[in-house]
Amino acid sequence: MSYKTLAYCFLSLLLLGTVTKADELSALRAAMAALEAENKTLKAQLDKSEEKLQKQSKNLADFRKEQGEQRRVLREYTGKGRDRGPGDLIELGPVSIGGALRANYTVGDYDNTALDGSIDGPTRDSGGTFTLDTFYVNADFEHGNFIGSAEYRFYDQLDELGGYHFLNELWGGYRFNNGSELKVGIVEVPFGSERFGNAYGFLQSLDNVVGLSDDRDLGIVYSFAVGDFDIDLGYFYGEEPNGSGQSANSTRGSYDVASPADRSSVYTPFSPVFPYPENPENVQREADRFAANNFLFGNFSPFQERNQFNVRVKYNFYVGETDNIIGASFQYGELEPVGSVITDTFPDAFGFIDPGTVPVETARSSDIFDDGEMYAGSIFLRSTYRNWQLKAGITKYHYDIDTLRDGETFVGYNPDQIVVGAFDIPIFIASEGTIPSVALSYTHIPRNIDFIDWIVPYVEYSAILKNGQTNGQYYFNLPAGTDFEDSEQFTLGAVMGMGDLVIYVDTVFGKGSPLIGNKNNQLTTGGALNMDPDGTGSVDFDDGWQLRFNINVGYYF
């Protein structure tokens, strides 16, 4: 083979390699272009997926917010059904006027000696007691940023006790553009998780009888939000005004410290006492005072509420599908001595006055007492998972009236108990205690029962763990240093809505619970001593748990 032939062969191979490399390069460029196109497609799909994910996240957040709002509205409508705002009965410009009419049936497994006698009370021998419980008229006002609310209530009562009525709410306020609100007047006290505390039932929990839920006073409240925190600040000059009823110190719709019925002159701690036979005016005076204290044997807390401050903070957050609120509240106020007190003992330890003897010596409360104080704190939780809701909390309170000055005396006085009053009846409670409470409910919307809009069954428990003892005063049959027994209350019940009707059905078990029974004067003394003060010597006050079955039917318009 010649060199020329070899040169041609080499040149041919070189040209062939060049063509092959060009083809490979073209193929590689095509592949890279395809990859870039695919990458653009994937990036577009990723952007679209991210956009979809963000949209889904926003939809989920909006859904949770919407569901939370729906649950809040539903809970407000169901759990607070008995105290809903006015309906659309009358609309007068910015004012809506409505009200409610309620009837109540009560029966229990105990004898109510205080109310079963000459008074037709919640007797256990004739199938229970039915009363026309409540009639009230309320109104809401809203015009621009200005808001307001008012409510007046009338209550039926048990025969000889008569009826009573009072102004339950009256406030005016301003709703700022950022959603915060300012209210001034007779307004709800911001303490605990919500108005009715950790309860759903009609009789509420034991926080209520010590004045720490469903409470209204005369003052000012500012409510605002900071992020996920809801904050309430309040100042209250004193308790709401007393209404018109049998008692002179307890005609209101929330429990407050009840000062003596007769503030300006002597009152007897063991009314009615035997007065001087030759003085008919004294007979009537003592009878009037006894009635004005609504048949409470003694009223040994000559104090009134003043200058109260409240702070409440709630934090809202989600855990999965569970909508949660945790929070804390604090209350501090002054207790101001008021009226006159008895400073010398009766000739008879039980208050019976022998004819011809000097009955008592008296002094102004402010001359023998320093100012007392009241403080309370609570932590609480409310969790809602779909139709379930759990409420729990613990409250510590102290009405500190251990302020009797050195060398002074006050007949019947025990700083470990204080008198509070509401619904025309004053009662004793322990001055200091701890209240655990828990409640669970389920909101059900019936699908096959047209006439029932919703049903909320619930179970509740609360207790007053007391810090108190007898001191040889008032409970004379018991030795000084006898510990107060704790109070407990357990409820199984349900509330249902049927159009404008709201019906509560409650089975309530109580031990030392003032609202459940009245065996051995549990009504007036169960919240304090929770023992037998009638002179029999028994220290087993309530002989175990007592039962009250209660149905309340309300028509709201």
Side-chain angles (χ1 to χ4, degrees), residues 251-317:
T251 311
R252 59 176 67 95
S254 57
Y255 285 93
D256 292 301
V257 173
S259 52
D262 186 351
R263 298 184 175 186
S264 61
S265 61
V266 179
Y267 67 94
T268 58
F270 295 93
S271 301
V273 298
F274 290 115
Y276 296 114
E278 66 274 14
N279 188 352
E281 293 181 359
N282 195 40
V283 176
Q284 186 61 47
R285 183 192 67 181
E286 300 303 332
D288 289 344
R289 287 174 182 160
F290 186 47
N293 272 317
N294 213 348
F295 312 108
L296 176 66
F297 285 94
N299 190 333
F300 308 122
S301 54
F303 295 91
Q304 62 183 358
E305 298 178 3
R306 285 292 181 267
N307 300 321
Q308 177 179 302
F309 296 87
N310 285 80
V311 178
R312 179 172 63 187
V313 179
K314 300 180 184 179
Y315 176 66
N316 302 266
F317 65 99

Side-chain angles (χ1 to χ4, degrees), residues 199-389:
Y200 302 97
F202 189 77
L203 297 177
Q204 303 189 45
S205 66
L206 289 174
D207 298 77
N208 179 246
V209 297
V210 302
L212 292 173
S213 70
D214 193 20
D215 185 26
R216 285 158 300 283
D217 286 323
L218 180 62
I220 180 171
V221 174
Y222 178 58
S223 303
F224 60 99
V226 178
D228 292 327
F229 290 89
D230 294 327
I231 302 173
D232 302 288
L233 305 175
Y235 166 77
F236 299 90
Y237 171 72
E239 69 274 10
E240 68 271 40
N242 202 59
S244 176
Q246 181 70 41
S247 72
N249 51 18
S250 303
T251 311
R252 59 176 67 95
S254 57
Y255 285 93
D256 292 301
V257 173
S259 52
D262 186 351
R263 298 184 175 186
S264 61
S265 61
V266 179
Y267 67 94
T268 58
F270 295 93
S271 301
V273 298
F274 290 115
Y276 296 114
E278 66 274 14
N279 188 352
E281 293 181 359
N282 195 40
V283 176
Q284 186 61 47
R285 183 192 67 181
E286 300 303 332
D288 289 344
R289 287 174 182 160
F290 186 47
N293 272 317
N294 213 348
F295 312 108
L296 176 66
F297 285 94
N299 190 333
F300 308 122
S301 54
F303 295 91
Q304 62 183 358
E305 298 178 3
R306 285 292 181 267
N307 300 321
Q308 177 179 302
F309 296 87
N310 285 80
V311 178
R312 179 172 63 187
V313 179
K314 300 180 184 179
Y315 176 66
N316 302 266
F317 65 99
Y318 274 92
V319 177
E321 295 185 50
T322 305
D323 182 7
N324 303 282
I325 293 177
I326 58 172
S329 56
F330 179 75
Q331 176 173 307
Y332 173 83
E334 298 175 355
L335 297 174
E336 181 181 275
V338 62
S340 301
V341 297
I342 295 173
T343 58
D344 196 8
T345 57
F346 289 101
D348 187 313
F350 287 93
F352 300 134
I353 300 175
D354 294 328
T357 62
V358 177
V360 292
E361 293 180 0
T362 66
R364 296 291 301 176
S365 299
S366 57
D367 292 334
I368 67 172
F369 280 99
D370 293 322
D371 287 351
E373 58 184 4
M374 186 275 177
Y375 47 87
S378 72
I379 55 175
F380 49 84
L381 163 72
R382 189 181 74 194
S383 293
T384 305
Y385 175 75
R386 297 182 180 177
N387 289 30
W388 293 93
Q389 187 176 84

Side-chain angles (χ1 to χ4, degrees), residues 36 52 117 160 180 190 236 266 309 335 359 397 427 480 488 498:
E36 289 179 357
K52 184 177 180 181
E160 294 180 10
S180 61
F236 299 90
V266 179
F309 296 87
L335 297 174
Y397 75 93
I427 62 174
E488 297 179 84
M498 304 169 58

Side-chain angles (χ1 to χ4, degrees), residues 64 145 154 159 228 231 240 293 336 471 515 531 551:
R64 284 180 168 177
N145 291 61
F154 301 83
D159 283 1
D228 292 327
I231 302 173
E240 68 271 40
N293 272 317
E336 181 181 275
N471 66 345
L515 301 181
M531 288 183 179
I551 299 176

Side-chain angles (χ1 to χ4, degrees), residues 527-548:
L529 176 71
N530 190 18
M531 288 183 179
D532 175 19
D534 64 0
T536 64
S538 170
V539 296
D540 185 8
F541 175 84
D542 55 14
D543 296 326
W545 292 83
Q546 298 177 41
L547 167 67
R548 172 174 174 175

